[in-house]
Amino acid sequence: MTIKEAQEVVDKWITSTGVRYFNELTNTAMLMEEVGEVARIMARQYGEQSFKKSDKEVNLGDEMADVLFVLICLANQTGIDLTDALEKNLEKKSVRDADRHKNNEKLK
């Protein structure tokens, strides 16, 4: 599935199953909540925190998909073409960081 297709699928789901989009502020808060859930799993799976009994059934991929879903909702609501935005962002990074990471002693 392309990013464009994902934006279309999410829009179709929202307007059929979800009834309507939550407002942008609500979706922004939901995005932060979902990112927090990813951070919680990362801290436990790859960091030094231990899992609680209630954390045993978590699924990192599913939580990342939740983040992506809400981000796509926000993009749809605000008229952002995520394919175009990502392409422009990668171009910006390629110019700005052309030598930056190659010359970073911390990465060697």
Side-chain angles (χ1 to χ4, degrees):
M1 177 183 315
T2 66
I3 296 171
K4 180 178 177 50
E5 289 169 339
Q7 285 192 252
E8 292 168 355
V9 167
V10 168
D11 188 64
K12 183 177 180 183
W13 186 92
I14 290 291
T15 56
S16 64
T17 306
V19 179
R20 68 168 179 81
Y21 286 93
F22 294 122
N23 69 42
E24 295 85 352
L25 184 56
T26 298
N27 273 337
T28 300
M30 289 174 62
L31 179 61
M32 297 305 101
E33 180 182 351
E34 298 298 349
V35 168
E37 292 175 13
V38 169
R40 179 183 182 90
I41 294 170
M42 296 298 291
R44 284 157 177 72
Q45 191 164 338
Y46 300 100
E48 297 169 343
Q49 287 190 333
S50 60
F51 280 98
K52 297 177 183 177
K53 288 181 184 178
S54 61
D55 293 332
K56 293 295 180 184
E57 299 302 317
V58 296
N59 180 311
L60 182 58
D62 187 54
E63 296 302 336
M64 287 183 174
D66 285 342
V67 170
L68 184 57
F69 181 88
V70 179
L71 182 63
I72 289 171
C73 286
L74 283 166
N76 287 350
Q77 290 176 276
T78 57
I80 302 294
D81 176 335
L82 283 173
T83 300
D84 183 57
L86 181 58
E87 287 171 350
K88 288 178 180 173
N89 186 271
L90 288 169
E91 184 179 325
K92 174 188 75 176
K93 284 176 171 50
S94 295
V95 171
R96 181 190 67 199
D97 299 331
D99 295 318
R100 178 174 164 224
H101 300 298
K102 293 176 190 171
N103 296 327
N104 183 347
E105 290 297 321
K106 295 178 184 178
L107 297 178
K108 294 181 180 184

